[in-house]
Amino acid sequence: MESRELLLNSFNAAIAAADPLHIVPRHVPIPKLPKGSTFVAGVGKAAAAMALAVENHWPKNAVLNGVVLTRYGHGLPLERIKVIEAGHPLPDAQGEEAARDILSEVKKLGVDDFLLCLVSGGGSSLLSLPEADVSLNDLRNVTRGLLRSGASIQEINTVRKHLSAIQGGKLAASCRAPVLALIISDVTGDDPTHVASGPCAPDPSTYPDALEILKRYRINAPAAVWEILLTGAKGKRGETPKPGDAVFRNVENRVIATAHDSLLAAAKYFHDQDIPAVILGETITGEAHDVAKVFAGLVKDIRRYGQPWKPPVALISGGETTVTLRQNGDGERDGLIGMNPGGRGGRNTEFLLSLAVELNGVAGIHALACDTDGIDGSENNAGAIMASDSIQRAEQIGINARALLASHDAYTFFELLDDLILTGPTRTNVNDYRVILVLEN
């Protein structure tokens, strides 16, 4: 089997392991008729597929309705649950209106009703209902600054939770009915408080934490944002509900799919092809180009010494790297994490281009890096494939790989080599999938 086919098949195995249509039905509770009604509130890139799985599994004679909020282009036609598409990675008015509607409907539920929340990655920007003193434009501006800064998703969500009227456990806290949140995790560590900024999960972070993050990354936040965080830090605003709070007495947050599950599925695929596979971890973070340098060093040792593993071997990893972009002359950064309006590309293509530059034609090395949601950065690709001859082929058609890497334009590099991977929205999201295949000479 060709190396390209091996890589693509392993990626498909990783996605299949996180398919909501297969995973969600195992966790959907059977309603107790005729007591109460069930409202479904969903958010994230997997929300529509999760809601479809609920509809397919739910008894026809049981009351079911709801609203799920997903990224533009990630919706599906449903019968009983309304699907709304909104902005990502920056919040927009469509998301704000839908979040307000969800919160309003949840507040109407009684003790005999049931709230089923479907939570997946991407929900932090989609479920965009700022506190009354913060405008949507304020929220967009601070989000943009944080995304450009290189802050981790956990840090970004700490700030967003303290500016939100619905995140950081506030959705569950507003509900009198029992709550079950089914969560497809796209964050390292799989803590429910960080997936979609934890609308149903206790929030251990504080206003002072959020303030410190803005200061550390020198975020030029709007005055209204500073005012809320400063007054909160002084104890003049209510905190997000914390672990142990009574509002969570009848709330369950259940993680039903993780990056580790997908990496295991990919590893099994390689084992079935008689290729040993090693999972290097699902929590790898850091600058994409720096992570690639570390991996390149490991690959060189495998190729040269057969240590710590002998070829053939598939090195599998997950997590979420970042791309911190250079500042321009105005002191503003050029683009978002994984995105660059000056160049084109996301963190996965940047990882691969850096890997190609570092390996510089080492024989028998092939790699794939993709976002499991089908969108790497702001472009239309899930990621790309790198081959041992990628740099050589690029030079033959006049492409300067180092220059494109310096300008964060990895998309162009792989586009010109016809090595982009285009899947469209997968309607799931367990973060990035990377594999480096080291073949025998």
Side-chain angles (χ1 to χ4, degrees):
M1 190 179 297
E2 293 289 334
S3 58
R4 185 183 187 93
E5 187 176 358
L6 286 168
L7 295 173
L8 287 171
N9 287 349
S10 75
F11 178 46
N12 290 335
I15 292 174
D19 186 347
L21 295 181
H22 296 146
I23 296 168
V24 170
R26 304 177 215 155
H27 301 276
V28 174
I30 301 299
K32 297 177 182 178
L33 301 176
K35 194 175 182 181
S37 63
T38 296
F39 183 81
V40 175
V43 63
K45 297 173 185 176
M50 294 177 80
L52 177 59
V54 172
E55 281 199 355
N56 290 344
H57 186 73
W58 206 257
K60 295 298 182 183
N61 59 340
V63 178
L64 179 73
N65 57 71
V67 178
V68 298
L69 182 56
T70 193
R71 181 176 178 166
Y72 290 117
H74 290 241
L76 288 169
L78 301 181
E79 295 180 2
R80 306 167 76 178
I81 301 169
K82 184 178 181 181
V83 178
I84 298 174
E85 298 181 348
H88 181 280
L90 294 177
D92 66 6
Q94 190 88 339
E96 181 182 30
E97 182 179 355
R100 183 175 288 109
D101 289 345
I102 288 173
L103 184 60
S104 175
E105 292 300 317
V106 166
K107 287 180 177 179
K108 296 176 185 176
L109 297 176
V111 293
D112 290 331
D113 298 319
F114 179 59
L115 174 60
L116 179 61
C117 286
L118 308 174
V119 183
S120 57
S124 293
S125 64
L126 293 165
L127 199 66
S128 52
L129 182 61
E131 289 282 10
D133 296 334
V134 177
S135 70
L136 179 63
N137 196 48
D138 291 336
L139 186 59
R140 284 176 60 87
N141 286 337
V142 73
T143 301
R144 183 183 291 111
L146 286 164
L147 289 171
R148 291 173 172 175
S149 71
S152 70
I153 192 62
Q154 288 85 352
E155 291 170 325
I156 294 171
N157 287 352
T158 292
V159 175
R160 290 196 278 208
K161 285 187 284 190
H162 286 87
L163 301 176
S164 173
I166 194 170
Q167 296 168 343
K170 294 177 183 177
L171 180 63
S174 70
C175 184
R176 292 180 295 158
V179 180
L180 172 62
L182 302 181
I183 301 166
I184 294 179
S185 172
D186 71 326
V187 298
T188 57
D190 303 319
D191 190 333
T193 192
H194 294 303
V195 185
S197 292
C200 297
D203 175 32
S205 69
T206 64
Y207 282 107
D209 293 334
L211 271 176
E212 194 275 330
I213 290 165
L214 291 189
K215 292 175 181 177
R216 186 190 324 153
Y217 291 100
R218 300 180 181 180
I219 304 300
N220 185 22
V225 169
W226 287 112
E227 178 65 21
I228 277 191
L229 298 184
L230 285 167
T231 56
K234 293 176 182 178
K236 297 180 180 180
R237 299 184 69 92
E239 261 288 0
T240 49
K242 304 301 178 194
D245 195 305
V247 299
F248 297 110
R249 197 163 26 201
N250 215 5
V251 176
E252 179 186 356
N253 286 273
R254 186 186 303 171
V255 177
I256 63 172
T258 68
H260 188 67
D261 299 330
S262 288
L263 300 191
L264 286 173
K268 181 181 183 303
Y269 168 77
F270 281 112
H271 284 302
D272 290 344
Q273 309 306 312
D274 296 322
I275 297 174
V278 178
I279 296 177
L280 300 177
E282 74 271 12
T283 61
I284 293 172
T285 59
E287 290 292 322
H289 65 271
D290 290 334
V291 173
K293 290 178 182 179
V294 175
F295 279 43
L298 177 60
V299 167
K300 289 176 183 177
D301 282 350
I302 293 172
R303 168 60 70 228
R304 185 177 302 172
Y305 306 114
Q307 293 292 337
W309 305 283
K310 291 182 179 180
V313 63
L315 307 177
I316 299 172
S317 65
E320 184 173 19
T321 60
T322 55
V323 178
T324 304
L325 303 175
R326 301 183 314 276
Q327 291 184 334
N328 62 32
D330 298 324
E332 295 292 333
R333 293 184 184 269
D334 296 322
L336 305 179
I337 288 179
M339 302 170 213
N340 182 5
R344 301 168 71 197
R347 57 185 181 260
N348 288 292
T349 49
E350 175 135 334
F351 168 86
L352 287 174
L353 182 52
S354 179
L355 183 68
V357 168
E358 290 298 313
L359 292 175
N360 196 25
V362 174
I365 312 298
H366 304 267
L368 174 149
C370 289
D371 196 323
T372 54
D373 68 8
I375 306 294
D376 182 36
S378 60
E379 301 299 331
N380 61 345
N381 64 313
I385 284 180
M386 184 216 80
S388 56
D389 65 349
S390 290
I391 296 295
Q392 180 184 3
R393 287 189 289 131
E395 290 174 347
Q396 289 173 351
I397 58 176
I399 301 173
N400 186 326
R402 291 185 182 275
L404 288 177
L405 179 60
S407 61
H408 305 291
D409 201 0
Y411 181 97
T412 296
F413 179 88
F414 291 105
E415 180 184 39
L416 292 173
L417 294 183
D418 196 26
D419 280 336
L420 293 175
I421 296 175
L422 305 174
T423 64
T426 63
R427 295 183 177 86
T428 191
N429 186 16
V430 288
N431 226 317
D432 297 338
Y433 171 72
R434 294 178 296 269
V435 56
I436 303 174
L437 186 58
V438 186
L439 299 177
E440 296 173 300
N441 282 327

